[in-house]
Amino acid sequence: MNALASVGHNNPPDPIEEICGQYESWRIEAENWLDGSPVETESQMNAVDELRQSMREWRLKLEAGQKSATAPLYDAYKAEGARWKPTIEDAKRIEAGLVSVVNGFKQKLAAEKAEAERQARAEADRKMREAQEAAARANAADIEAQRAAAAAQHEAEIAAAQAAKAGKDRVKGLRTVTRYEVTDHRSLLNFIARNDRDAITAFIDDWARRNHTTTQNADGLRVWQEKEAF
């Protein structure tokens, strides 16, 4: 192999540049037409249509080149994903099964802890009221009354600490989720219409977009046809 032949022989031409090179003159001519001025004569229209066909061929060749270049990568991506998927899915099944196994007990335990917290807070509130009442009744000159009030206050503080501790005793692996159920579609629709008109408008616009060809006689909907270039 001579020196000239060896230069760049390991670097084949880039397919994008190769395809673009085939249509470069048409691309430049097409850009000359795109100066913001519309077509005004039939001859101009024919010239633009011819360029449009060339640009379409350019685009199709680019898309074919893209598909050819990316197909092996995409196939490898899919194959590797498929190789991992069964094991991942099995791990998910096992994880979900374990969650299901403990769900009922965790809910029961959480309810018990919530009730214990409620009782502890109720007891703390009761003792705090008693301490406040004892302090209000105690004569500053009566040492025994003052001692009793102080003892009641101390018990109230202990009860408050116990209630706070109970409030922190949570069951791990439980979360609060918000669920919903539509009990009356008509009532909910009326509520949305009164309070969220944008949502109703968005729904109507989307419905018209999806159904305007099959339900052209719907009240409040106008459907027509017109010609446009493509």
Side-chain angles (χ1 to χ4, degrees):
M1 181 181 293
N2 59 43
L4 290 176
S6 65
V7 173
H9 77 281
N10 287 327
N11 296 301
D14 182 80
I16 297 176
E17 294 179 357
E18 194 171 22
I19 294 171
C20 289
Q22 299 171 15
Y23 293 89
E24 182 65 10
S25 60
W26 285 292
R27 183 191 66 79
I28 294 173
E29 179 64 18
E31 289 189 0
N32 289 335
W33 282 90
L34 300 177
D35 60 358
S37 301
V39 163
E40 297 178 347
T41 67
E42 189 169 347
S43 62
Q44 290 177 336
M45 178 194 72
N46 291 334
V48 169
D49 282 347
E50 184 178 350
L51 284 171
R52 163 70 174 80
Q53 181 61 30
S54 297
M55 293 299 92
R56 181 176 183 277
E57 292 175 1
W58 177 38
R59 172 178 60 81
L60 291 175
K61 282 193 176 182
L62 286 170
E63 290 175 349
Q66 179 191 49
K67 183 177 181 180
S68 176
T70 59
L73 301 176
Y74 183 58
D75 289 343
Y77 163 78
K78 289 193 297 182
E80 189 64 14
R83 189 172 75 88
W84 285 77
K85 184 176 180 180
T87 307
I88 292 174
E89 292 299 323
D90 196 51
K92 287 181 178 179
R93 280 190 291 270
I94 293 173
E95 184 181 5
L98 293 174
V99 170
S100 178
V101 164
V102 299
N103 184 54
F105 180 79
K106 284 188 175 183
Q107 289 179 336
K108 176 176 176 291
L109 184 60
E112 292 173 353
K113 289 180 179 293
E115 176 60 20
E117 178 189 358
R118 186 194 66 77
Q119 293 181 5
R121 292 196 179 280
E123 179 68 6
D125 291 342
R126 183 184 67 80
K127 289 191 173 183
M128 182 58 68
R129 287 193 302 271
E130 291 178 352
Q132 291 171 346
E133 292 171 358
R137 291 193 306 267
N139 187 335
D142 187 340
I143 187 60
E144 293 303 325
Q146 289 296 319
R147 287 172 176 167
Q153 179 63 34
H154 181 63
E155 288 185 7
E157 291 172 354
I158 292 175
Q162 291 174 340
K165 183 179 179 181
K168 295 178 181 179
D169 188 12
R170 294 285 185 262
V171 179
K172 294 181 179 180
L174 276 183
R175 61 185 177 185
T176 300
V177 295
T178 302
R179 307 191 187 281
Y180 70 91
E181 176 189 5
V182 178
T183 58
D184 189 326
H185 287 78
R186 183 183 296 274
S187 295
L188 180 57
L189 179 61
N190 290 334
F191 175 86
I192 297 171
R194 292 192 307 270
N195 297 278
D196 192 355
R197 297 300 298 271
D198 289 344
I200 294 294
T201 300
F203 166 76
I204 293 172
D205 289 341
D206 183 63
W207 187 93
R209 177 186 60 79
R210 290 183 290 105
N211 297 281
H212 70 275
T213 58
T214 57
T215 318
Q216 298 187 16
N217 61 343
D219 295 340
L221 178 66
R222 184 171 75 93
V223 180
W224 71 97
Q225 294 181 336
E226 59 185 30
K227 300 291 186 181
E228 69 175 14
F230 69 96

